[in-house]
Amino acid sequence: MKSNQFTPLLLTVLLVIQNTVSNAQDKKDFSQGYKVVEQEINHLFKAWNTNNTPGAAVAVILEDTIVFEGAYGSASLEFGIKNSSSTLFNIASNSKQFTAYALLHLVEEGKVDLDDDIRKYIPELPDFGEMIKVKTLAQHTHGIRGITYLLGMAGWNIEDVISRKDVLKLLRQQKELNFSPETDFSYNNSGYMLLAELIERVSGKPFHQYLDEIIFIPLEMKNTVLFEDNQKIIPNLASPYFFDGTGYKKGIRNSKDIVGNTGIRTSIDDLCKWVINFEKPKIGSKELLDKLAHTAVLKNGDTLNYAFGQKVSQYNGRKVISHGGADAGYRSQVLRFPDQKLAIIVLTNDGSLNADEEAYAIADIYLDNKKMLDANSSIDVVQKPLRAIAKETLKKYEGKFELQPGFILEFNEKEEQLYITATGQGTFPLEMLNEEQFQIRRISATITFVKNENGDVDTLTFNRNGQDSTGKRIRFHMDNSKLQEYIGIYYSPELRTSYELKIENGVLTAIHQRQEITQLSPLTNQNFSGNTWFFGSLEFDIEEGSVVGFKVSSDRVHNLRFNKVDKPFPFW
């Protein structure tokens, strides 16, 4: 598919590039002309440059000028509609920076204090015995459990219609925090959803109306909308997809009015206007825009890299302000290099496309003049999988490997396909690169099984973004007679839901009336790992030799208590 570039503009701006990126270490030779840059970026997206795949929209901004804009693949595989610079995408967690701006706008007006107790504005939230300041909601240092994982544990599916009212009710039932506020960092969606609620109550206006008035209308982001109604018709919105190892499937998400943490649908054209505003402001004072990049500081003095809806870090020695987003089959990444006055945006409706990796690859082209088309190297982010290998070989890889304490990778062969189940992450197919190496397409990671001198596979190497981690095989075993001690009904007053633990085919399982069955694998006599994304790990409480309950943890929920109860609830 032909991409949507603005060729005359590129010729002009190449001269600007030479003058703007003027630091000694950043002076680059752009004499090869705009065509080379265009080819380099197009090559990054060549796998999506067809009518048979979802795709992406890309923009590169220098100072206040768009120097490249491209669109690839299909917005709708069902109807054969191509992506364009006006196609709308769900930018998911990149919505957080808009919420943070709205919060700071209220602060600037004197209507909110960042050091206020959140219960001043949302008094129905539980009193956890410690003050949770407004600013901690924006910086992920509040300690409140993550709503996505709470919903999963409580029996909700992502395909369900979930409202903000449902989530607020669930949060009101919580008795504990993940940690004491401002003592740790845990990225989750609870804080920003609560900020949207706060902004509505303080402003006296619906969240979408307030964003329209202070951001979208002044910046002429005419095609940007907040998806606060799952029945809302949004023209020109790309459909989300993901690749499951065999083909593309439709991504589904039915959140009704959960916004603040997510919810914004926008185009590459409109999002460029927001990004350019940081360089050439039309809205927001300098103090407000600078505040968005002020990073959080914990009580012990540690400085984090998360600010207000943005991360502040270093990339190859350069300051970068960024944020990503992922929801259903949508992915997004916004990078800003303030010292070089360079910004890169990648929006995609293919959950298999790593927007982060592609955005940084584009940054390499502009900042380091890296030639991606070198004959001796490949820039294909996702390699082509090989044909299936022998079932007997795949069987050797079956088992559990501990990548880090409590985080388990489990491998199973089914119909000559190897599947991976990660603690709290669900199950996904692996694609073969060679007999020992496999890839997880959706996160652009590889797994290499390592044989010892006897030919047995005892370790593996997990590589993502160039970083290797080693996993060791777990050989702990528990027989059925011991597993019998854990069976029974367990109830959580914080979720107001129950699970039955029972043995099926020699495996301890957790069964809920509305969720998929979780298989529990013993790591020790008290600790088990789960194979579903919401049930990461369990620690059983044993008193006087009897199991009385367990605490379940996942990526964004820690130590949620389930008590063993005598009376069963026969609802499944």
Side-chain angles (χ1 to χ4, degrees), residues 228-299:
E228 81 289 1
D229 180 355
N230 65 319
Q231 295 180 319
K232 188 172 187 175
I233 296 173
I234 301 178
N236 212 23
L237 176 64
S239 295
Y241 304 92
F242 65 93
F243 190 85
D244 72 346
T246 59
Y248 280 102
K249 293 187 177 179
K250 195 79 171 281
I252 299 174
R253 185 59 61 89
N254 285 322
S255 297
K256 185 177 180 181
D257 57 355
I258 299 176
V259 292
N261 56 300
T262 185
I264 291 177
R265 272 63 167 167
T266 190
S267 67
I268 201 79
D269 283 343
D270 271 11
L271 196 52
C272 283
K273 295 174 182 178
W274 166 256
V275 172
I276 288 172
N277 188 71
F278 286 97
E279 186 63 34
K280 189 175 181 180
K282 289 185 178 180
I283 63 169
S285 64
K286 182 179 186 302
E287 290 75 19
L288 191 159
L289 296 175
D290 287 347
K291 183 69 174 178
L292 286 169
H294 283 194
T295 53
V297 179
L298 299 180
K299 287 182 177 179

Side-chain angles (χ1 to χ4, degrees), residues 109 114 130 136 183 229 353 389 409 462 479 498 510 536 542 568 571:
E109 291 182 332
L114 291 176
E130 300 180 81
T136 67
T183 64
D229 180 355
L353 193 160
I389 59 175
L409 304 180
F462 180 89
D479 58 33
S498 300
I542 301 175
F571 43 62

Side-chain angles (χ1 to χ4, degrees), residues 6-21 30 33-34 37 60-68 341-342 366:
F6 295 87
T7 302
L9 188 60
L10 275 169
L11 271 173
T12 303
V13 176
L14 280 169
L15 297 175
V16 181
I17 294 174
Q18 288 176 309
N19 293 329
T20 304
V21 186
F30 287 91
Y34 73 93
V37 174
V60 180
I61 302 166
L62 191 66
E63 292 189 326
D64 59 352
T65 305
I66 301 170
V67 299
F68 178 92
K341 302 183 184 300
L342 177 71
Y366 279 86

Side-chain angles (χ1 to χ4, degrees), residues 130 141-142 179-185 297-300 302:
E130 300 180 81
T141 58
H142 47 76
F179 52 80
S180 180
E182 298 182 82
T183 64
D184 204 349
F185 172 89
V297 179
L298 299 180
K299 287 182 177 179
N300 65 2
D302 289 349

Side-chain angles (χ1 to χ4, degrees), residues 131-143:
M131 186 172 76
I132 301 174
K133 297 177 182 178
V134 170
K135 67 180 180 183
T136 67
L137 300 183
Q139 298 173 329
H140 302 293
T141 58
H142 47 76

Side-chain angles (χ1 to χ4, degrees), residues 24-139:
Q25 69 273 24
D26 290 324
K27 287 183 178 179
K28 307 301 174 189
D29 179 15
F30 287 91
S31 60
Q32 296 178 16
Y34 73 93
K35 276 292 182 184
V36 173
V37 174
E38 181 180 307
Q39 290 172 1
E40 301 290 351
I41 297 175
N42 287 339
H43 188 68
L44 285 170
F45 295 90
K46 69 177 183 178
W48 292 272
N49 199 20
T50 75
N51 295 327
N52 302 320
T53 66
V58 179
V60 180
I61 302 166
L62 191 66
E63 292 189 326
D64 59 352
T65 305
I66 301 170
V67 299
F68 178 92
E69 212 169 35
Y72 311 88
S74 293
S76 171
L77 294 178
E78 291 91 338
F79 296 101
I81 300 171
K82 297 179 180 180
N83 280 319
S84 71
S85 63
S86 60
T87 300
L88 272 65
F89 296 83
N90 177 1
I91 62 171
S93 287
N94 263 304
S95 304
K96 290 181 171 70
Q97 57 192 285
F98 293 89
T99 304
Y101 178 95
L103 171 67
L104 295 180
H105 190 268
L106 289 173
V107 171
E108 199 166 62
E109 291 182 332
K111 297 178 180 179
V112 175
D113 191 312
L114 291 176
D115 289 323
D116 280 343
D117 189 332
I118 181 59
R119 296 179 71 244
K120 174 180 177 180
Y121 306 97
I122 312 177
E124 65 269 31
L125 286 177
D127 182 355
F128 294 105
E130 300 180 81
M131 186 172 76
I132 301 174
K133 297 177 182 178
V134 170
K135 67 180 180 183
T136 67
L137 300 183
Q139 298 173 329

